[in-house]
Amino acid sequence: MATNWFPDDQRALATALGSLSNPLGCIFGLALGPFFVFESDKDDHEAGKEHMRTFMLFCAVVGTLMSIPTLIFFREKPKYYPSKIAKNSMTKKKYSQVKDLKMLGRNCNYYLMVMTFMSLYGVYTCLGAVINNIVSPYGFTATDSSILGATFIVSGLIGSFYFSAMLDKQ
């Protein structure tokens, strides 16, 4: 997608922004959670369930509202192509997904990249799931662990933006 919509010197940054939308959503979830679910909900489980339902409904409404402009305003292809490669890729015959997957299957660099991203995503997911259990013995609250989790993700996002901008300059 980045090939068709962005010039050569902006593709890495565009790809980084697109791929980092999931962690950005996690930051909002971590930051907004303490405004809906409270420390007192540990003692009153029924109130905690109701607060959690409200939080999940809020997230669903926000996600739905944010996707509506995509359905309305996004086009299939750009009016003006940013490069000859983009124009050629959109005007030539359809590609074969099976052929491309076979080509990827023979590429060792692809496997190294997949293993790297799988490892990083595993660490990110596990730490996000257990951060409250890690910090609560030291007196930190659920709100504190949410802030720590959001800080962890923001640090990764800043690093990703920095390195993708450096790749675009190369």
Side-chain angles (χ1 to χ4, degrees), residues 36-37 41 44-56:
F36 288 88
V37 182
D41 292 342
D44 186 3
H45 294 292
E46 290 304 315
K49 286 180 185 179
E50 187 59 36
H51 292 151
M52 191 64 191
R53 274 191 212 104
T54 305
F55 179 52
M56 293 180 77

Side-chain angles (χ1 to χ4, degrees), residues 17 21 38 51 55 67 72 74 76 81 91 95-96 98 114 116 127 139 148 150 167-168:
L17 288 172
S21 59
F38 309 105
H51 292 151
F55 179 52
S67 65
I72 295 171
F74 280 36
E76 183 178 348
Y81 294 101
T91 56
Y95 68 92
S96 168
V98 174
V114 167
T116 302
L127 185 59
L148 288 171
L167 282 173
D168 277 338

Side-chain angles (χ1 to χ4, degrees), residues 104-125:
L104 272 178
R106 293 187 296 267
N107 189 338
C108 291
N109 290 330
Y110 172 72
Y111 288 113
L112 290 173
M113 184 183 72
V114 167
M115 293 303 293
T116 302
F117 280 106
M118 284 173 42
S119 300
L120 291 172
Y121 190 72
V123 169
Y124 156 75
T125 304

Side-chain angles (χ1 to χ4, degrees), residues 48-116:
K49 286 180 185 179
E50 187 59 36
H51 292 151
M52 191 64 191
R53 274 191 212 104
T54 305
F55 179 52
M56 293 180 77
L57 180 63
F58 175 79
C59 290
V61 168
V62 168
T64 302
L65 290 175
M66 291 181 75
S67 65
I68 290 172
T70 303
L71 296 172
I72 295 171
F73 297 113
F74 280 36
R75 298 185 308 267
E76 183 178 348
K77 56 185 178 181
K79 193 179 283 187
Y80 304 105
Y81 294 101
S83 67
K84 288 183 180 182
I85 294 172
K87 185 174 182 178
N88 289 340
S89 71
M90 292 298 286
T91 56
K92 69 179 186 180
K93 292 182 182 179
K94 292 281 184 184
Y95 68 92
S96 168
Q97 189 173 8
V98 174
K99 183 179 174 184
D100 289 347
L101 287 174
K102 285 180 183 177
M103 190 170 57
L104 272 178
R106 293 187 296 267
N107 189 338
C108 291
N109 290 330
Y110 172 72
Y111 288 113
L112 290 173
M113 184 183 72
V114 167
M115 293 303 293
T116 302

